[in-house]
Amino acid sequence: MSINLTPAQIAWLGGIAAERGYASLDEAAQAVIAEAMAGLPTGFEEPQDELVIPLLDEARNHLRNGGDIPLAAFSAAMDQHMAKLKNQ
């Protein structure tokens, strides 16, 4: 069987694969489906924080429109953001 996924779905599965150490997106998808079949949470619940939701919406729209950011640039931006938060 073959399934076509959207870029946002691939990114979501990629996050699960990275977080849990799965070797492939197929392995991550199989685990998520097994958890859903068992009625278990996937670990990726939608946030309820009113400050986070607009940022996620912006990121999802960016990905839907074919945008991306290199991992090194993302890591550098996150390091800078975390340093600001620590200094507050």
Side-chain angles (χ1 to χ4, degrees):
M1 176 170 84
S2 177
I3 298 174
N4 295 316
L5 301 175
T6 67
Q9 292 167 329
I10 293 168
W12 184 82
L13 273 175
I16 290 175
E19 179 179 297
R20 299 183 187 179
Y22 293 125
S24 67
L25 293 181
D26 287 343
E27 190 177 331
Q30 290 168 0
V32 170
I33 291 169
E35 290 168 1
M37 290 174 68
L40 300 173
T42 61
F44 282 86
E45 303 301 322
E46 283 296 313
Q48 302 302 313
D49 187 323
E50 63 188 37
L51 298 175
V52 173
I53 292 170
L55 296 173
L56 284 174
D57 289 342
E58 180 182 341
R60 288 175 178 145
N61 286 332
H62 184 73
L63 288 172
R64 274 189 216 104
N65 294 324
D68 63 2
I69 181 170
L71 180 58
F74 172 78
S75 294
M78 285 304 290
D79 290 344
Q80 184 180 24
H81 180 67
M82 293 303 292
K84 284 182 189 177
L85 290 175
K86 288 178 183 177
N87 292 327
Q88 287 184 355

